Amino acid sequence: MSTATARALEHPRLEEIRLEAVLHALSDPMRLQVVRFLADLGEGREAACSAIELAVSKSTTTHHFRVLREAGVINQVYRGTAKMNALRRHDLDTLFPGLLGTVLDAEAAQRRRTG
Amino acid sequence: MSTATARALEHPRLEEIRLEAVLHALSDPMRLQVVRFLADLGEGREAACSAIELAVSKSTTTHHFRVLREAGVINQVYRGTAKMNALRRHDLDTLFPGLLGTVLDAEAAQRRRTG
DNA sequence: ATCGTACTACGACGAATGTCAAATTACGAT
DNA sequence: ATCGTAATTTGACATTCGTCGTAGTACGAT
């Protein structure tokens, strides 16, 4: 092949991110768990898909990561054989100030309350 | 019939409200429009279903109101022949501080941006 | 008792969703 | 070239979702 550009991954541009899609992406427990994990990693840090243990099959995990990416919640990039994931925190905060933070706080509150 | 108690309407109690359900309820454009409308009404104020013009049929409208109620986002009560709706703002703020506010702000921001 | 308004209930239907298993691709290391 | 690890793709499946129209119930007013 030509110059080894890693396989392309479609991401919505900043202006293309829709609130409804973000909320929908965050409304699934598995995906919320992924977002929580990435948030706890700290600003700008990334993790491989395999670093996050979800109680579903590999293909389902792949599916959830794609939903998050296509909604604009995470950024995915191939790094060797792994696929690294990071929250698009800055983009989301630009578009919807405070939203991600309050959702994460809400998730934490709920976890505290109901185990 | 006996003492005229208006038909009962099932609402989740405070502790039963789930973040995922709330986010899912808010992730639909029609329902977001309803929430926006109720929020603009002002603290504690209520509106009949018919006061909110949605670009869908009556039965679909009923459906969306039910989703919002069952998620714990709105409170519904029969008043005569009308069914009045109000945001459960206080309950939601107790459970998930700031969430409803940031979602509404996000919705406003998006509307400003994309018409 | 009748009428009109407001909302519901009951299917129905196609589209989307969450899930899985099996086969496949991409890449680094040997 | 071969192997192992990481992740994808495809196709299947049951479920849920958003939508509609039609028929029905509840209630206030006449």
Side-chain angles (χ1 to χ4, degrees):
Chain A
M1 71 189 72
S2 50
T3 45
T5 334
R7 287 153 283 169
L9 282 173
E10 287 288 313
H11 287 81
R13 289 193 312 277
L14 185 64
E15 335 81 59
E16 291 173 335
I17 297 179
R18 301 283 309 167
L19 174 61
E20 299 86 349
V22 171
L23 293 177
H24 172 249
L26 297 177
S27 74
D28 179 276
M30 296 296 168
R31 293 195 290 260
L32 206 44
Q33 196 180 323
V34 170
V35 171
R36 157 102 284 136
F37 184 96
L38 293 176
D40 287 350
L41 238 47
E43 183 58 33
R45 273 225 275 261
E46 53 185 23
C49 293
S50 52
I52 303 162
E53 296 284 319
L54 293 187
V56 290
S57 75
K58 277 313 263 163
S59 25
T60 301
T61 300
T62 297
H63 161 70
H64 285 309
F65 274 105
R66 183 171 31 172
V67 172
L68 286 169
R69 169 168 48 89
E70 292 180 344
V73 177
I74 66 172
N75 204 290
Q76 297 193 290
V77 52
Y78 283 106
R79 190 139 7 259
T81 149
K83 188 192 226 167
M84 306 305 287
N85 307 275
L87 269 188
R88 291 180 67 174
R89 213 181 222 295
H90 184 272
D91 284 346
L92 289 174
D93 278 344
T94 300
L95 229 36
F96 311 124
L99 181 64
L100 195 54
T102 51
V103 170
L104 285 168
D105 288 350
E107 191 275 335
Q110 176 165 286
R111 196 145 33 85
R112 228 175 293 124
R113 250 185 29 249
T114 65
Chain B
M1 71 190 69
S2 51
T3 46
T5 333
R7 288 153 281 171
L9 281 171
E10 286 290 312
H11 287 81
R13 288 193 312 277
L14 186 65
E15 335 81 60
E16 292 173 334
I17 297 180
R18 302 282 311 168
L19 175 61
E20 300 85 349
V22 171
L23 293 176
H24 171 249
L26 297 177
S27 74
D28 179 276
M30 296 296 167
R31 292 193 291 258
L32 206 44
Q33 195 180 325
V34 170
V35 172
R36 156 102 286 136
F37 184 95
L38 293 177
D40 287 350
L41 238 47
E43 183 59 33
R45 272 222 277 260
E46 53 186 22
C49 294
S50 51
I52 303 161
E53 295 283 320
L54 293 187
V56 289
S57 75
K58 276 313 263 165
S59 26
T60 302
T61 299
T62 297
H63 162 70
H64 286 310
F65 274 104
R66 182 171 33 175
V67 172
L68 286 170
R69 168 169 48 90
E70 291 179 346
V73 178
I74 66 173
N75 204 289
Q76 297 194 291
V77 53
Y78 284 105
R79 196 149 345 270
T81 147
K83 190 191 226 168
M84 306 305 288
N85 307 276
L87 269 186
R88 291 181 68 173
R89 214 182 221 295
H90 184 271
D91 285 346
L92 289 174
D93 279 345
T94 299
L95 228 38
F96 311 124
L99 182 63
L100 195 53
T102 51
V103 170
L104 284 168
D105 287 350
E107 190 273 336
Q110 175 165 285
R111 197 144 33 85
R112 230 175 291 122
R113 251 186 27 251
T114 66

